[in-house]
Amino acid sequence: MSEQLPPSAFTASGEEVITRSIDIASTVSAQRPDSSSVNEFYEVERTAEIILKGDYKRVALQFPDELLRDAVSVYRLLKRIVGNGHDVYVLADTSYGNCCVDEVAAQHVDADLMVHYGHACMSKTSRLPVVYIFGRKPIDVEDCVQELSKLLTSVPDAGEMTTKSVLVRHDVGYAYRVAEVVGQLRDKTGLSILYHEVPTWVEPAPALPPLTPDNEAKTSTSSDSDSRNDEAPTSIIYIGEESLTLTNLLMTHSSSRVYSYNPITKSSRVESERTNRLLMRRFTAVQKARDADVFGILVGTLGVASYLPLISHLRKILAKAQKKSYTISVGKLNPAKLGNFMEIECFVLAACPENSVIESKEFYRPIVTPYELEVALQAEGTWSGRYVLDFGRLLAEYGSGNKTSNEEEDPDPDQPTFSLVTGKYRHARRFGAPETSDDGDTSPNAVVLRNQDGAMTVLQESAAALYLQTRSFRGLEARVGEDAPSILEQGRSGIARGYMDDHPTIDESDT
């Protein structure tokens, strides 16, 4: 009996794709416990009361992947209460991240209210009011208070903390029990603990006006009002698992000591020790952005308020720095999508705070945040370790452009710059310069094209065309006028299993 050869990678039948089982990685705490009812976990009665009180006619329900199994049950319970006068739609696949409110998908059904289930980044929306249903992740309040009290009293500067405030931040899934934790911590430690309740109903935020010197101070004051209390405390307590929320908290509060309590493992620890390591990784991305001349602005959200003014601001500062920029909307990011834009040397992601920091090594080009781009366009040594992820604060501080160093004319545009990434000097390519020089020569970034009639065309400031000129393979040759035209023939019709012009099979028994 001959040995059966393994199927080739190019001739596989595809059966293993259909029969393969896929394990969906999901945290246990994000799922609904079996002991909790659907009505209680998803707060169906509260949601129905808001729908009836506001007389919302078209309601969109947004579920994350790990909670999608309960979508039908929630839909039936809501319809039973609100009746036929209110249409309810379930949004399964989100356009970007599960934490963001998907206003784009809601507009497809012309919804006037959004109900968001599961983990949320709490970014302000721009079009629809939102009802947040965070769920109820299990937490042992007594153990949490005991672990945090032990950790706060064991630190070296515990005596100084009695005169200063401590801020409590948490995963939104524990919002229903955090107030109880804060009350017991105050009684047991005697510390001044600050806590801001997470809202469960959010109105759409008004669009930011164009920033001018007149309204810049007002915008800066209003945008910093929400975060002023977060910057004052010297210590922060985070309740939740290790996630992007904790990582962003460490980077945006690098001068504060951060403690965390994990309700799943029931353990607490000091998180501030890895803050410098996180910032150094981002500092490396900033240095790579300094060496880039062609940028791609990635639209990572369409629901966060003020994302359009931010994209316009990014285009403006890149043009002022004589950098080439392209605006790209690719939905959820992956290396294959961004690999199609090899002429782009660095990407800038405009997304919600929890999806802005991308540190995957699978991408071919570095991906930076808008604030990191601001730092990269400034002079060397201007970054003090401060980190900003909020769109409103970023626009308020840098929107007028008076804090960037590229407004002044460079006395010597041909002066090389030293790259900390390669350790060599480099000459930056400048886009947006005058098309012709004094002696009539074309710009060095221009590409001269010749068509089939012999006429020449100068294509100015095209980074994609310049990159194409450096490639060895530039596509199939047109060969216009060199080959004789082919005769038109009738094409095939039918399906791949059997086309209409295929020869009939011959039965071997008939021969």
Side-chain angles (χ1 to χ4, degrees), residues 282 284-298 318 323-328 338 341-349 363-370 372-374 376-377 429:
R282 304 316 304 168
T284 303
V286 170
Q287 296 303 320
K288 293 180 180 180
R290 290 185 189 273
D291 295 348
D293 300 317
V294 183
F295 288 83
I297 302 175
L298 298 175
L318 287 173
K323 308 286 187 180
K324 186 67 176 179
S325 65
Y326 296 93
T327 304
I328 307 170
L338 301 188
F341 309 97
M342 294 303 296
E343 67 273 14
I344 295 178
E345 301 172 358
C346 182
F347 291 97
V348 186
L349 178 59
F363 291 94
Y364 299 100
R365 294 289 186 265
I367 303 176
V368 298
T369 65
E372 292 170 351
L373 177 64
E374 293 280 1
L377 296 181
R429 293 182 295 167

Side-chain angles (χ1 to χ4, degrees), residues 286-403:
V286 170
Q287 296 303 320
K288 293 180 180 180
R290 290 185 189 273
D291 295 348
D293 300 317
V294 183
F295 288 83
I297 302 175
L298 298 175
V299 182
T301 179
L302 295 178
V304 179
S306 70
Y307 80 94
L308 284 177
L310 177 66
I311 293 176
S312 301
H313 171 68
L314 295 178
R315 293 173 180 170
K316 179 181 177 181
I317 63 175
L318 287 173
K320 191 178 298 183
Q322 296 185 353
K323 308 286 187 180
K324 186 67 176 179
S325 65
Y326 296 93
T327 304
I328 307 170
S329 178
V330 294
K332 296 180 180 179
L333 300 182
N334 59 59
K337 288 182 180 179
L338 301 188
N340 295 320
F341 309 97
M342 294 303 296
E343 67 273 14
I344 295 178
E345 301 172 358
C346 182
F347 291 97
V348 186
L349 178 59
C352 74
E354 294 202 2
N355 293 323
S356 295
V357 181
I358 305 294
E359 294 187 353
S360 176
K361 298 181 180 180
E362 298 177 355
F363 291 94
Y364 299 100
R365 294 289 186 265
I367 303 176
V368 298
T369 65
Y371 178 75
E372 292 170 351
L373 177 64
E374 293 280 1
V375 176
L377 296 181
Q378 294 177 7
E380 289 280 357
T382 55
W383 190 23
S384 61
R386 182 170 173 268
Y387 208 81
V388 178
L389 291 173
D390 183 70
F391 287 178
R393 296 180 59 186
L394 186 66
L395 290 173
E397 296 180 14
Y398 297 94
S400 61
N402 57 356
K403 293 193 177 182

Side-chain angles (χ1 to χ4, degrees), residues 233-290:
T234 56
S235 300
I236 300 176
I237 296 175
Y238 177 79
I239 301 175
E241 308 92 89
E242 186 171 353
S243 60
L244 293 176
T245 305
L246 177 58
T247 302
N248 295 341
L249 183 66
L250 291 173
M251 291 193 297
T252 54
H253 298 79
S254 58
S255 60
S256 302
R257 181 181 291 271
V258 180
Y259 310 91
S260 70
Y261 173 78
N262 191 334
I264 298 179
T265 60
K266 294 185 178 182
S267 60
S268 60
R269 64 180 181 180
V270 180
E271 299 284 352
S272 307
E273 299 176 352
R274 59 192 184 100
T275 302
N276 291 337
R277 185 168 66 253
L278 294 174
L279 290 177
M280 288 304 297
R281 291 179 185 173
R282 304 316 304 168
F283 182 74
T284 303
V286 170
Q287 296 303 320
K288 293 180 180 180
R290 290 185 189 273

Side-chain angles (χ1 to χ4, degrees), residues 111-343:
D112 51 8
L113 177 67
M114 172 73 77
V115 182
H116 185 279
Y117 295 95
H119 179 71
C121 59
M122 303 305 297
S123 299
K124 296 181 180 179
T125 58
S126 58
R127 302 181 184 92
L128 297 176
V130 184
V131 178
Y132 286 103
I133 309 296
F134 304 124
R136 296 171 179 248
K137 296 183 179 181
I139 179 174
D140 188 346
V141 176
E142 299 296 334
D143 183 77
C144 178
V145 173
Q146 182 179 358
E147 287 291 330
L148 290 177
S149 300
K150 186 188 306 181
L151 186 63
L152 292 175
T153 55
S154 62
V155 295
D157 55 348
E160 300 180 2
M161 293 178 58
T162 57
T163 60
K164 299 180 181 179
S165 58
V166 179
L167 178 67
V168 174
R169 300 285 292 272
H170 59 88
D171 189 298
V172 293
Y174 305 102
Y176 73 108
R177 299 296 300 273
V178 172
E180 184 179 353
V181 173
V182 172
Q184 295 187 20
L185 271 178
R186 288 171 179 168
D187 298 338
K188 193 168 186 178
T189 61
L191 298 176
S192 175
I193 299 179
L194 300 177
Y195 171 61
H196 309 287
E197 292 187 3
V198 181
T200 57
W201 165 267
V202 178
E203 292 282 353
L208 290 178
L211 291 176
T212 61
D214 297 334
N215 63 4
E216 181 188 2
K218 182 189 295 184
T219 308
S220 177
T221 303
S222 61
S223 62
D224 290 342
S225 60
D226 298 335
S227 58
R228 191 177 299 157
N229 293 331
D230 293 2
E231 297 178 355
T234 56
S235 300
I236 300 176
I237 296 175
Y238 177 79
I239 301 175
E241 308 92 89
E242 186 171 353
S243 60
L244 293 176
T245 305
L246 177 58
T247 302
N248 295 341
L249 183 66
L250 291 173
M251 291 193 297
T252 54
H253 298 79
S254 58
S255 60
S256 302
R257 181 181 291 271
V258 180
Y259 310 91
S260 70
Y261 173 78
N262 191 334
I264 298 179
T265 60
K266 294 185 178 182
S267 60
S268 60
R269 64 180 181 180
V270 180
E271 299 284 352
S272 307
E273 299 176 352
R274 59 192 184 100
T275 302
N276 291 337
R277 185 168 66 253
L278 294 174
L279 290 177
M280 288 304 297
R281 291 179 185 173
R282 304 316 304 168
F283 182 74
T284 303
V286 170
Q287 296 303 320
K288 293 180 180 180
R290 290 185 189 273
D291 295 348
D293 300 317
V294 183
F295 288 83
I297 302 175
L298 298 175
V299 182
T301 179
L302 295 178
V304 179
S306 70
Y307 80 94
L308 284 177
L310 177 66
I311 293 176
S312 301
H313 171 68
L314 295 178
R315 293 173 180 170
K316 179 181 177 181
I317 63 175
L318 287 173
K320 191 178 298 183
Q322 296 185 353
K323 308 286 187 180
K324 186 67 176 179
S325 65
Y326 296 93
T327 304
I328 307 170
S329 178
V330 294
K332 296 180 180 179
L333 300 182
N334 59 59
K337 288 182 180 179
L338 301 188
N340 295 320
F341 309 97
M342 294 303 296
E343 67 273 14

Side-chain angles (χ1 to χ4, degrees), residues 104-115:
V104 177
Q107 284 185 329
H108 292 168
V109 297
D110 195 20
D112 51 8
L113 177 67
M114 172 73 77
V115 182

Side-chain angles (χ1 to χ4, degrees), residues 422-440:
T422 62
K424 301 177 182 178
Y425 282 94
R426 60 178 294 271
H427 288 274
R429 293 182 295 167
R430 296 182 179 271
F431 297 88
E435 297 183 1
T436 57
S437 58
D438 297 337
D439 54 357

Side-chain angles (χ1 to χ4, degrees), residues 468 473-477:
L468 182 62
F473 177 73
R474 304 175 185 176
L476 299 178
E477 298 181 1

